[in-house]
Amino acid sequence: MTTVHARLESGQLNEAAELAELVRRASGDGAIVSFIGIARSETKHLERVEKLVLLHHESLTLKSLEQIAFDAAQRFAVSHVHVVHRCGEIQPGQPIAFAGASAPHRRAAFEAADYLMDRLKTEAVFWKREEGSSGASWIEPTEADYADRGRWE
Amino acid sequence: MFAEAQLKIRSYGKLADLFGAECEVSMNAPCTVAALRQQLIENHPEAADVLRDKRVRVVLADVVMQDQDIIPRGEVPEFLAPVSGG
C-alpha cells in the first residue's frame, strides 16, 4: 500500500531524521531518492541574505503539501512519499524542504522526487521573502520553474 | 438587494504589503470577484499590475473563486499573491 506523509514544520527541519523515517517505511523497497532544499546565503544579485521568511496560510498551505504528495503517489510507481516543508524564519544554510520517495525500482523514485520539487516550487502555498542588508524582496517562481512544472503536464 | 457595505478582505504575500493583511473595501454587496478586484484597482492604482496578474488567486473558505463568482455578504475573501515553496 502506498503511504503519503506531508507535514508543515515550524521548528527546525531535521533532514537526517526525515530520511531515517523514510528508510524505515521503505522496508522491502529497492530505491529511495530524497531532495533537501537549502536556504541560500546570497540573493540572485549576490547580496548577502540574513534570513529567509516563509509565510504560510493557516489551512491552504498544508492542503497544498498534501495534494502535491498525494498526486506524486498516484502518478508514480512508488511505495512512500515523504514531504516536509518549513515555515517561519530560516537562516542561510538551513533546510527549507525535504522531498523523498521510495519505490521498488529507482526510476519511479527519481521521477517522484523531481515532480514533488517542481510542484512545490510553483504551487505550494507559501510566500517567500529574502531579507538582507539591502532590504527585503519577495521571491516568486522563475520562468524556468514554471517550465519545469510544465514538463509534467 | 444590493447595498453599499464594508467588505473585509485578507491579503497574503506582496499583496499584504500593499493593502495590509486585512483591510475593508466599500462595495455594493454582494458583488462579484471581478467587481471587487476592479474596486481595489481604483483604490490602489499602484497595485493594478499585481492585481491583474493571472497568478493572483482569490479564495473563499479555501476554495478558489472565478471572476464571475459572487462573494456573499459577510464573507471574507482572501487575495493570494503568487506562491512559491521549495
Side-chain angles (χ1 to χ4, degrees):
Chain A
M1 190 183 80
T2 305
T3 64
V4 171
H5 176 88
R7 192 171 90 246
L8 180 63
E9 177 62 63
S10 59
Q12 289 281 319
L13 195 168
N14 183 337
E15 67 276 18
E18 302 304 337
L19 180 58
E21 174 64 15
L22 180 55
V23 171
R24 190 187 66 76
R25 288 171 187 255
S27 175
D29 276 337
I32 295 173
V33 171
S34 66
F35 174 90
I36 303 160
I38 307 288
R40 293 192 181 86
S41 58
E42 290 184 338
T43 69
K44 62 183 176 185
H45 304 297
L46 303 181
E47 291 163 345
R48 192 168 65 87
V49 175
E50 288 169 3
K51 66 183 173 189
L52 181 68
V53 181
L54 271 172
L55 303 176
H56 71 284
H57 186 282
E58 64 176 359
S59 52
L60 289 172
T61 299
L62 180 58
K63 283 185 180 179
S64 70
L65 299 180
E66 291 171 340
Q67 185 65 57
I68 290 166
F70 177 80
D71 289 348
Q74 290 282 97
R75 180 168 183 143
F76 303 100
V78 293
S79 306
H80 307 283
V81 173
H82 193 99
V83 172
V84 182
H85 206 297
R86 274 295 313 270
C87 62
E89 295 188 358
I90 300 165
Q91 302 302 312
Q94 294 295 308
I96 303 171
F98 177 98
S102 75
H105 303 287
R106 72 181 184 281
R107 186 63 56 205
F110 273 118
E111 288 184 336
D114 198 14
Y115 173 88
L116 285 168
M117 285 314 302
D118 286 344
R119 289 204 52 195
L120 289 169
K121 273 282 182 189
T122 54
E123 297 174 47
V125 178
F126 291 97
W127 297 277
K128 260 192 306 200
R129 192 176 65 219
E130 278 180 341
E131 297 186 2
S133 51
S134 59
S137 60
W138 294 102
I139 309 299
E140 293 181 356
T142 63
E143 287 303 315
D145 291 330
Y146 289 120
D148 287 344
R149 167 68 183 90
R151 294 181 303 146
W152 304 103
E153 295 294 343
Chain B
M1 183 73 180
F2 288 80
E4 185 92 348
Q6 291 298 111
L7 178 64
K8 184 190 282 188
I9 67 168
R10 291 194 192 97
S11 301
Y12 294 83
K14 64 186 179 186
L15 291 168
D17 284 352
L18 294 164
F19 309 135
E22 280 193 6
C23 72
E24 291 192 338
V25 184
S26 190
M27 290 290 299
N28 281 323
C31 66
T32 63
V33 169
L36 174 57
R37 183 185 290 110
Q38 188 56 39
Q39 188 62 52
L40 278 169
I41 289 171
E42 286 175 22
N43 295 355
H44 300 271
E46 74 283 4
D49 287 347
V50 178
L51 284 167
R52 291 192 179 110
D53 187 331
K54 296 288 184 218
R55 300 173 302 166
V56 169
R57 284 177 292 168
V58 181
V59 302
L60 192 65
D62 289 0
V63 176
V64 176
M65 303 187 81
Q66 305 303 317
D67 273 358
Q68 68 277 12
D69 289 341
I70 301 284
I71 301 164
R73 195 190 306 257
E75 297 289 336
V76 181
E78 300 180 303
F79 280 70
L80 311 187
V83 297
S84 178

